[in-house]
Amino acid sequence: MKKKVPVFLVLLLTAVLILTSCSSSTSGSDQNQPQQQAQQPPAQGSGPVDVSKSESSVVKLIEASNPANLPAAAKNRPDTLIVGTTAPSGKFNPIYADSVYDSYVTELVFDGLLMNDEKGNPTPNVAESWDISEDGKTYTFHLKKGIKFTSGQELTAKDVEFTYTAIADPNYDGPRMDSVMDLVGYDEYHNDKDGKVPKLEGIKVIDDYTISFTLKDVKASALISDFGYGIMSKDYYNFEKGNIQKLKDLFLKPMGSGAYVFKDYKAGQEIDFEANPNYWKGAPKIKNIVMKVTNADTVIQELTTGGVDVDIVAARPENIKMLQDAGFINIIHYPSNSYGYMGWNMRLDKFKDKRVRQALMYGLNRQGFIDAYYKGYGQVCNAPVSLVSWAYTDDINKYPYDPDKANQLLDEAGWVKGSDGFRYKDGEKFVIHWMTYTGSKYVDTLIPIVKDNWGKLGIEVVPELMEFSTLSTKVYDEQNFELYNMAWSLSIDPDPSGIFAISQDVKGGFNSVGWRNDESEKLIEQGLRETDQQKRKEIYQQWIKLANDDLPYLFLSYSDDAYGISSRVKGLKITPYEDWTYYIYQAELVNP
Amino acid sequence: MEAKSIEDVRELATEDIMSPWKLAWRRLKKNKLAMLGLYILAIMVLLSVVGPLVSPYTMEQMDLSNIQSPPSLAHPMGTDEVGRDVMTRLFYAGRISLSVGLFAVVISVVIGSVLGGIAGYYGGFIDSLIMRIVDIFMSFPFLPLLITIAAVMSDWKVPPQYRMFVVMILIGILSWPGLARIVRGQILSLREQEFMQAAEALGIRDRRKIFRHLLPNTYASIIVSATLDLGSAILTESSLSFLGLGVTPPTPSWGQMVQVARDLYTLQMQPWLWIPPGICIFLTVMAINLFGDGLRDALDPRLKR
Amino acid sequence: MPGTITKRGEMMRQYITRRLIQMIPILIGISILLFFILQLAPGDIFSTMMNPHMTAEMKEELRHQLHLDQPAYIQYFYWVQGVLKGDFGDSFYFKQPVTRVINTYIWNSFLLSLVSFILSVIISIPIGVISATRQYSRFDYFFTVVALIGISIPSFYFGLLLIKWFSVDLKLFPVSGMMTPGVNFVGMEKAADILYHMALPCIVLTLSSVAGLMRYTRSSMLEVIRQDYIKTARAKGLRERVVIYKHALRNAMIPVITIFGMWLPGLFSGAIITESIFNWPGIGPIELLAVNNRDYPLLMGINLILALLTLLGNLIADITYALVDPRIRLK
């Protein structure tokens, strides 16, 4: 299941950016080539490309024009697939992996109880089926029989129990706590440092193939959010309560029931895998997988020289063009499950007024920014929901660029233009100190546009760049800011409580903007307790409309994710909710 | 023949009554390469001061309908990612980069050579003390400190335009210890030479010995160090901006403008974005180097042309 | 006179011992200063952990586990306690012992830096000397311009150009990495594979250091050649080669030795930009990662090693001065 990776888009961006300064390319030779995908006709005799077979409505394919152009480097490794990855950190454990890169490793090596389909619905995996009790609090999973760890032992309910109990361990210091903390008996087990409470009450092994989890309260997002983590073998990983160090000692020797067996990790270079011939879904067709470390500066060159077969690239026309020119690379791109925004501190008087917030939204040429920066591979965002979410709705105010309307709203709000061209209210000049992060082309493009657009409204914008950790400390830990910008990479479930609940409006919480809207709070709570997806959808769409009107954020942008995939790789399925690891066991390597 | 020897005699005569600085200046003026360096530098300064004033565009004026366009008549160096005129920004950037580079180098050269000279000449406890300070400076990781300084400046709401001065001083302070060690190392050797024994015998004051007799013999290294520092200061300014310390966009600097060549597409397809600032940095570094070499020759009493 | 030599040796030994002893308080001082400055930088490892499923209380609990909720001096005390037992703590980010993390990456950096260091010495010193002896010749002009270009070009830019020319167009060298992925060579084959991958980053590093070293050698040589004793040596009828390489070069080496001393920590510190561009698994990007994540134990570990190397490098340079120029007395 697509994990809730706490590495968020911005972080990912800055991590790469700070390492290599500015990674994602800004440029484009001529801007008369937006949306050039699909213009390229498929080459004659190139055979069916399986990437397209699984194409969902949102995934777009640009087919390779000349698959035969495959470089010798790639031809020379008929049994080995090389996938580029950015920064694995060596925490190869399903309950410790805290970046997408480490998660790819655990997804190859481990299987979770459930998976998800491309719409984001939970689907069976190790658990063949599941029941939910009348009160909606108890989940009972029926495991498939005969699944074996690569050690030869069978995966049973006690392994599931072990995995989830490990997360509740008093000394657990990984990022998955939230998936067990709502279980009955969590606090008793977690807070007991002396080993007096041997078991977590909420987890019950019924027989070898049946296990149940009992929550303290209904949690509508539980299935999709909490039951996807890889199951660890109790025999292999077992440790005494409190001695979780054992798991860390085994970071570099992960062992699970997954499609691939972990062979070797060369820190900062590569991770090697070998097919698990006894994989319960069928032996993988590709014998070896290597995850090779690449970076955004040179990923295009790695792909075009055949150094890697599959890698994620920044979805920009320049990159796509360079990949197309190579001839043998299929390109897919789709809207990512994320959005970019600017957060304003609503504790400040100037941002308390909804009219001011709306004026700033109308008064910013967001389409112009997106056209300049993404050149066709991004869209304007108007609400705190991603384009691919099942809760998404288009029926909201689009806030088109309209300086006149913005001026009018500002006038109404009492900010009047002075003789110097700036707006004043009660003698206070309208100045916005905008804190943002360094080393990002996104920000470098945004700054002049914001300064110019809002300057024309009579607002002085003072941008201030800082290193990302400093920025997030000021925004979240200290709440000491006027305006900032970041992006959220979202989990599958649309529940926004982690970001917008009033309980998150504390120092260190994520409601950094201080949005305290009772209506919103009510809807969020309803959404979390409603298990019928259709009804939930209605609740969330109502909430989206509310957020779109009340504007806790200035919503900015949706961007695309793009993958370059060598034409020697067939049958690889990647969608916004499904990583390349999900169906890798079905993919194969051919000589085009 | 006759005339020339008279000329020579006259020159000798005037040299005798000229002050050493005047003499150096006269020698310098004869050195074509040094003057070329000086002219290049003067032109760079002139362009960055006057350029923005005569340009039809302003530094921030953007045009989203005309982004990343190649050089044309309207934009002799093309436009950037939001359609701003690259040439105008290049001139503005010169103000920042030249002043950051030159001031940082002056700071580093003054501190480095004075402390290095004192340490090398006196030796013993003073040398130990200064060199241990150098050790601490050199082994101290400045990355976290710079982040802290950046955060403090933002807490105090230091206006972005003033942060440039902090950057100059910081770069200067960061780069003096290397020079101090180089100067001191040379002076350790120089002070044992015969001419210093002569100076000793003549009873010349310490200050005079250090600044008149010892330091001039290290000018060569100081000039090389200044040339290297100038190049790196201009580039370091842009790295500091990654820590939130540099000049804040949209104000440009050459270092930041060169950074757009971070991806191969720009590198290959949009050379107008990075070649001009690159050439400006190169010319500045070269000008300082040529001028510095000439200055050294001019100040060297052994070289009489 | 054997007597003076022994006396000199004795003085030298005393000097070295004293300097080594002085290092201890300096290192302790640096560790204290460093620890507190690290704490001053805003945020900690959890500041960038932007996981909406991680509530403020959960973060507090994790902070407590790492003693991050304690004042800095208490945290320092915990750290020192570990160090005295030889335990530098676990990296916050990697959740592995600091020594293991450093050991994994630092030798890769050392390998790359050492090779490029040797190359740049081999290249730059002869060129510097020839440039000086033939001042204002075409040779001199050519390398002056080359050096100045080297100074003004950022290394990322040069690295990308090399990748474009040698990897993409000519397909001579791999784009990045340190070994061919998925293949486990051993012995000579492994060495050859690493050299093959090292070529491009090595050129970048070498060229950036050649420029400076060449200029220092040249200028210092020029200075020496003008000295009276060189004129005397020439006047005595010594061969030019002997004059230059035996008498002049030796004396011209003092600034160059200083630079060498300063390179010792550089051999281990890794080159952040070059290593990132070529995905060389060195310590440079790891330190940056540690800074960005406020990984105090890892930063303390890396920086104390580098501080120690800096002190040693400067000491070695000071000793070498005395060896090169016997008139220098170490006190």
Side-chain angles (χ1 to χ4, degrees):
Chain A
M1 179 156 317
K2 191 92 168 187
K3 60 282 132 197
K4 300 163 295 193
V5 201
V7 162
F8 286 81
L9 191 68
V10 249
L11 187 56
L12 194 149
L13 262 174
T14 41
V16 175
L17 291 173
I18 293 173
L19 277 177
T20 61
S21 304
C22 3
S23 64
S24 42
S25 54
T26 157
S27 39
S29 58
D30 29 19
Q31 53 315 114
N32 55 5
Q33 49 162 331
Q35 301 280 15
Q36 59 174 264
Q37 67 274 18
Q39 286 175 7
Q40 193 102 17
Q44 294 293 315
S46 66
V49 177
D50 289 339
V51 195
S52 60
K53 206 168 65 185
S54 60
E55 201 178 343
S56 66
S57 54
V58 290
V59 180
K60 296 204 177 76
L61 168 76
I62 306 171
E63 239 177 284
S65 57
N66 183 13
N69 208 12
L70 195 68
K75 274 185 200 152
N76 291 341
R77 41 164 206 267
D79 293 332
T80 305
L81 172 75
I82 300 187
V83 182
T85 184
T86 305
S89 72
K91 280 168 281 189
F92 303 140
N93 183 295
I95 67 169
Y96 270 102
D98 58 2
S99 69
V100 280
Y101 320 112
D102 285 358
S103 297
Y104 292 151
V105 175
T106 63
E107 284 166 12
L108 285 175
V109 176
F110 296 88
D111 285 313
L113 280 177
L114 303 179
M115 286 204 6
N116 61 272
D117 62 15
E118 61 183 71
K119 299 256 164 17
N121 299 311
T123 54
N125 198 29
V126 167
E128 280 179 317
S129 61
W130 62 89
D131 316 310
I132 304 172
S133 65
E134 283 290 301
D135 63 2
K137 291 181 185 170
T138 300
Y139 293 81
T140 308
F141 295 96
H142 306 284
L143 310 192
K144 189 176 166 64
K145 289 175 189 160
I147 296 178
K148 290 217 168 100
F149 290 112
T150 45
S151 62
Q153 255 134 353
E154 192 175 8
L155 190 164
T156 62
K158 74 170 193 327
D159 299 307
V160 180
E161 180 197 26
F162 166 74
T163 301
Y164 281 83
T165 311
I167 307 178
D169 193 85
N171 291 326
Y172 174 69
D173 55 351
R176 301 272 182 271
M177 275 181 192
D178 69 296
S179 59
V180 293
M181 66 183 308
D182 296 320
L183 289 172
V184 171
Y186 169 80
D187 294 325
E188 290 80 351
Y189 184 83
H190 181 73
N191 297 332
D192 156 55
K193 305 244 175 202
D194 317 318
K196 284 181 197 140
V197 184
K199 277 201 174 301
L200 211 168
E201 200 193 326
I203 306 179
K204 283 204 180 64
V205 175
I206 295 162
D207 61 42
D208 271 1
Y209 303 103
T210 317
I211 186 166
S212 74
F213 293 82
T214 307
L215 301 175
K216 286 178 252 182
D217 209 341
V218 177
K219 183 179 174 190
S221 60
L223 265 188
I224 196 76
S225 301
D226 299 341
F227 294 111
Y229 302 125
I231 304 300
M232 295 185 282
S233 159
K234 183 173 182 181
D235 285 329
Y236 182 73
Y237 282 103
N238 200 10
F239 62 90
E240 231 169 88
K241 184 175 178 184
N243 186 20
I244 201 150
Q245 182 63 33
K246 171 92 181 279
L247 294 187
K248 298 182 194 170
D249 295 340
L250 290 172
F251 273 176
L252 298 185
K253 290 173 190 141
M255 194 282 290
S257 60
Y260 281 84
V261 182
F262 182 93
K263 295 305 278 186
D264 193 15
Y265 171 56
K266 296 187 186 120
Q269 302 176 60
E270 62 178 277
I271 310 156
D272 301 343
F273 302 89
E274 201 176 73
N276 171 8
N278 305 317
Y279 188 47
W280 57 279
K281 292 182 195 167
K285 292 178 187 157
I286 298 174
K287 200 169 151 234
N288 303 301
I289 292 183
V290 175
M291 280 171 68
K292 180 185 190 303
V293 174
T294 56
N295 66 50
D297 285 332
T298 55
V299 59
I300 302 290
Q301 284 64 43
E302 290 278 12
L303 278 164
T304 52
T305 56
V308 297
D309 296 310
V310 179
D311 208 339
I312 192 162
V313 298
R316 312 285 304 274
E318 311 70 83
N319 288 346
I320 306 263
K321 174 155 193 323
M322 286 194 278
L323 291 181
Q324 277 182 311
D325 288 348
F328 68 97
I329 296 169
N330 289 308
I331 303 151
I332 59 162
H333 64 102
Y334 50 79
S336 63
N337 189 20
S338 63
Y339 65 90
Y341 68 94
M342 294 171 108
W344 30 48
N345 194 336
M346 290 160 78
R347 298 165 200 91
L348 301 175
D349 284 334
K350 57 185 157 198
F351 294 121
K352 262 187 189 143
D353 192 328
K354 186 165 103 178
R355 289 169 299 191
V356 171
R357 299 198 297 271
Q358 291 184 334
L360 292 173
M361 194 93 159
Y362 280 118
L364 182 61
N365 187 356
R366 295 174 298 147
Q367 188 67 50
F369 161 65
I370 280 158
D371 290 345
Y373 183 72
Y374 289 114
K375 302 188 184 78
Y377 294 92
Q379 294 175 50
V380 174
C381 167
N382 292 303
V385 58
S386 91
L387 278 179
V388 292
S389 170
W390 50 257
Y392 177 79
T393 170
D394 206 23
D395 180 22
I396 46 177
N397 187 349
K398 301 292 192 316
Y399 294 96
Y401 181 47
D402 188 348
D404 295 339
K405 184 145 190 183
N407 276 317
Q408 185 195 331
L409 281 162
L410 285 171
D411 288 341
E412 280 172 27
W415 290 94
V416 284
K417 261 195 183 158
S419 52
D420 57 354
F422 289 107
R423 287 184 183 271
Y424 290 85
K425 183 177 178 179
D426 307 330
E428 189 205 341
K429 188 179 169 188
F430 206 145
V431 181
I432 299 177
H433 287 267
W434 167 25
M435 298 200 298
T436 180
Y437 46 94
T438 57
S440 151
K441 282 284 157 197
Y442 181 93
V443 168
D444 290 351
T445 311
L446 188 58
I447 289 176
I449 297 178
V450 171
K451 260 194 95 138
D452 174 273
N453 289 179
W454 289 354
K456 284 178 186 154
L457 300 180
I459 300 167
E460 188 187 354
V461 181
V462 185
E464 189 183 321
L465 281 84
M466 50 189 75
E467 170 248 11
F468 190 78
S469 310
T470 305
L471 176 64
S472 63
T473 306
K474 284 183 186 291
V475 168
Y476 297 107
D477 295 341
E478 299 168 6
Q479 296 181 342
N480 174 19
F481 67 95
E482 289 187 15
L483 183 76
Y484 72 97
N485 76 291
M486 283 193 193
W488 281 117
S489 175
L490 303 167
S491 43
I492 294 178
D493 195 87
D495 164 37
S497 63
I499 302 174
F500 290 110
I502 291 176
S503 62
Q504 284 283 352
D505 180 14
V506 289
K507 294 203 169 157
F510 292 105
N511 189 352
S512 52
V513 292
W515 192 37
R516 289 170 171 272
N517 183 309
D518 296 334
E519 176 73 14
S520 149
E521 192 71 2
K522 213 175 75 198
L523 288 169
I524 290 176
E525 183 63 22
Q526 271 178 24
L528 206 51
R529 306 291 169 229
E530 176 58 65
T531 46
D532 182 302
Q533 180 149 332
Q534 196 49 44
K535 284 186 194 151
R536 264 191 104 196
K537 188 172 173 176
E538 281 160 25
I539 294 169
Y540 283 133
Q541 293 194 338
Q542 220 178 319
W543 179 80
I544 287 164
K545 279 175 201 167
L546 176 75
N548 170 262
D549 179 65
D550 203 39
L551 296 177
Y553 287 164
L554 186 151
F555 302 105
L556 272 174
S557 59
Y558 292 124
S559 61
D560 271 14
D561 275 348
Y563 270 91
I565 301 169
S566 167
S567 53
R568 69 193 280 259
V569 186
K570 299 285 175 201
L572 184 61
K573 184 180 180 190
I574 304 174
T575 70
Y577 287 149
E578 291 162 310
D579 293 337
W580 61 269
T581 51
Y582 280 28
Y583 295 99
I584 190 73
Y585 67 96
Q586 293 174 343
E588 57 188 321
L589 293 177
V590 296
N591 199 349
Chain B
M1 202 59 202
E2 187 85 351
K4 194 172 182 249
S5 66
I6 293 170
E7 183 89 23
D8 280 354
V9 173
R10 196 179 300 152
E11 188 166 333
L12 266 175
T14 34
E15 271 197 18
D16 282 340
I17 47 166
M18 268 202 288
S19 75
W21 285 108
K22 251 190 174 160
L23 187 69
W25 174 237
R26 261 188 74 156
R27 287 214 194 106
L28 194 61
K29 273 203 296 193
K30 282 190 191 161
N31 186 334
K32 280 186 201 134
L33 281 173
M35 291 319 282
L36 177 69
L38 196 62
Y39 292 143
I40 295 177
L41 208 58
I43 293 170
M44 304 293 270
V45 172
L46 197 70
L47 277 181
S48 34
V49 174
V50 178
L53 304 177
V54 297
S55 164
Y57 306 98
T58 67
M59 175 184 80
E60 297 183 26
Q61 184 183 338
M62 47 174 219
D63 179 3
L64 287 180
S65 62
N66 185 26
I67 60 174
Q68 287 160 343
S69 65
S72 60
L73 269 182
H75 300 281
M77 290 179 188
T79 61
D80 70 358
E81 74 271 9
V82 284
R84 293 172 297 195
D85 182 54
V86 173
M87 194 162 86
T88 309
R89 289 176 63 75
L90 192 72
F91 294 148
Y92 266 106
R95 294 182 176 181
I96 306 286
S97 290
L98 283 173
S99 42
V100 167
L102 295 176
F103 278 102
V105 166
V106 167
I107 292 173
S108 128
V109 164
V110 168
I111 305 181
S113 51
V114 168
L115 287 184
I118 292 174
Y121 175 74
Y122 289 105
F125 174 73
I126 295 179
D127 178 38
S128 260
L129 182 74
I130 294 179
M131 282 305 114
R132 294 305 79 77
I133 295 174
V134 166
D135 279 348
I136 291 174
F137 261 83
M138 284 171 71
S139 56
F140 203 80
F142 281 89
L143 215 55
L145 182 65
L146 292 174
I147 289 174
T148 310
I149 293 176
V152 168
M153 284 206 292
S154 117
D155 283 344
W156 290 351
K157 296 224 186 308
V158 179
Q161 59 268 33
Y162 293 129
R163 292 186 193 180
M164 198 180 90
F165 298 106
V166 179
V167 171
M168 287 176 198
I169 294 168
L170 273 178
I171 297 178
I173 287 177
L174 290 186
S175 43
W176 71 268
L179 180 62
R181 274 198 65 87
I182 291 171
V183 168
R184 169 210 175 240
Q186 278 187 293
I187 286 186
L188 281 180
S189 161
L190 285 168
R191 70 168 180 197
E192 308 297 338
Q193 290 189 12
E194 293 81 2
F195 73 92
M196 283 313 290
Q197 284 159 10
E200 194 82 33
L202 287 172
I204 296 172
R205 273 176 305 141
D206 285 357
R207 214 174 70 186
R208 205 177 155 79
K209 274 192 271 187
I210 296 174
F211 293 103
R212 278 293 167 78
H213 297 277
L214 289 172
L215 274 181
N217 279 296
T218 64
Y219 278 162
S221 299
I222 294 177
I223 285 160
V224 174
S225 166
T227 319
L228 292 172
D229 283 355
L230 181 74
S232 70
I234 292 175
L235 296 175
T236 305
E237 179 274 317
S238 64
S239 327
L240 286 187
S241 70
F242 280 106
L243 299 173
L245 266 174
V247 183
T248 318
T251 310
S253 73
W254 289 339
Q256 286 179 16
M257 291 176 78
V258 158
Q259 293 276 350
V260 299
R262 249 348 260 246
D263 65 285
L264 270 165
Y265 191 85
T266 313
L267 201 64
Q268 279 174 258
M269 312 302 279
Q270 299 168 325
W272 66 87
L273 288 177
W274 55 266
I275 285 184
I279 288 181
C280 285
I281 298 177
F282 170 70
L283 285 178
T284 311
V285 170
M286 182 151 100
I288 287 289
N289 187 67
L290 292 177
F291 182 71
D293 275 356
L295 191 65
R296 194 233 3 250
D297 288 351
L299 291 173
D300 190 342
R302 287 182 302 257
L303 278 184
K304 293 216 168 147
R305 293 194 187 172
Chain C
M1 285 176 287
T4 45
I5 289 171
T6 336
K7 201 179 155 212
R8 237 185 114 74
E10 183 56 35
M11 274 176 65
M12 182 77 96
R13 204 169 309 136
Q14 277 179 12
Y15 175 77
I16 296 174
T17 319
R18 201 177 61 243
R19 283 285 294 272
L20 287 174
I21 292 170
Q22 277 178 358
M23 274 182 203
I24 298 169
I26 293 180
L27 277 177
I28 294 176
I30 288 177
S31 83
I32 295 175
L33 214 59
L34 179 58
F35 201 90
F36 285 85
I37 284 181
L38 287 183
Q39 303 270 343
L40 276 180
D44 57 33
I45 174 101
F46 301 107
S47 303
T48 46
M49 210 184 213
M50 295 224 284
N51 178 355
H53 301 277
M54 186 78 93
T55 60
E57 301 93 74
M58 281 193 247
K59 282 201 233 174
E60 267 322 299
E61 192 188 324
L62 294 177
R63 283 195 172 106
H64 178 72
Q65 287 187 8
L66 298 177
H67 307 302
L68 288 175
D69 51 348
Q70 310 267 353
Y73 66 92
I74 294 190
Q75 291 184 47
Y76 181 74
F77 179 72
Y78 277 117
W79 182 80
V80 168
Q81 224 178 15
V83 169
L84 291 179
K85 286 185 242 153
D87 174 13
F88 282 80
D90 281 6
S91 153
F92 292 168
Y93 180 80
F94 291 97
K95 297 201 188 336
Q96 298 287 321
V98 163
T99 40
R100 193 188 302 165
V101 175
I102 295 178
N103 204 28
T104 309
Y105 295 97
I106 205 166
W107 298 107
N108 300 334
S109 286
F110 177 69
L111 181 67
L112 179 63
S113 308
L114 184 70
V115 173
S116 68
F117 171 76
I118 294 172
L119 280 179
S120 44
V121 171
I122 294 176
I123 296 171
S124 57
I125 292 187
I127 294 182
V129 170
I130 298 173
S131 282
T133 52
R134 298 195 212 150
Q135 195 187 9
Y136 303 130
S137 67
R138 259 190 217 153
F139 181 93
D140 182 31
Y141 282 132
F142 176 76
F143 282 101
T144 299
V145 171
V146 169
L148 296 181
I149 292 177
I151 295 167
S152 357
I153 288 188
S155 49
F156 68 81
Y157 167 99
F158 194 52
L160 287 174
L161 272 185
L162 288 185
I163 289 176
K164 155 91 179 115
W165 291 333
F166 290 102
S167 307
V168 178
D169 295 346
L170 297 173
K171 304 204 189 322
L172 278 179
F173 293 106
V175 175
S176 73
M178 191 169 100
M179 293 175 213
T180 307
V183 188
N184 283 307
F185 290 123
V186 282
M188 284 312 287
E189 269 186 319
K190 182 173 175 183
D193 192 40
I194 292 179
L195 276 178
Y196 171 60
H197 281 78
M198 194 169 19
L200 297 187
C202 207
I203 294 175
V204 173
L205 282 185
T206 306
L207 277 173
S208 61
S209 50
V210 154
L213 200 54
M214 199 158 86
R215 298 304 291 166
Y216 276 115
T217 313
R218 174 185 177 273
S219 69
S220 162
M221 227 16 224
L222 276 178
E223 204 67 9
V224 172
I225 289 174
R226 293 170 185 173
Q227 302 274 353
D228 296 336
Y229 64 89
I230 296 296
K231 290 181 185 153
T232 317
R234 281 196 183 126
K236 278 201 311 194
L238 287 178
R239 270 181 305 144
E240 186 66 13
R241 187 177 283 266
V242 177
V243 173
I244 297 298
Y245 288 94
K246 191 140 178 256
H247 297 273
L249 184 57
R250 194 181 165 100
N251 284 292
M253 285 310 281
I254 295 219
V256 178
I257 289 167
T258 315
I259 311 273
F260 284 172
M262 291 192 266
W263 266 359
L264 184 66
L267 287 179
F268 290 88
S269 67
I272 291 177
I273 292 173
T274 310
E275 287 180 353
S276 315
I277 288 212
F278 290 98
N279 288 322
W280 188 265
I283 196 86
I286 298 297
E287 187 184 359
L288 198 58
L289 187 98
V291 171
N292 290 335
N293 285 290
R294 310 287 190 258
D295 189 339
Y296 305 142
L298 186 53
L299 282 173
M300 290 298 287
I302 294 176
N303 285 309
L304 281 182
I305 290 176
L306 295 183
L308 178 67
L309 289 169
T310 309
L311 300 182
L312 283 177
N314 288 350
L315 172 59
I316 292 171
D318 283 349
I319 297 167
T320 321
Y321 293 157
L323 296 179
V324 170
D325 185 348
R327 285 171 309 191
I328 294 179
R329 291 155 296 158
L330 297 171
K331 291 183 244 183

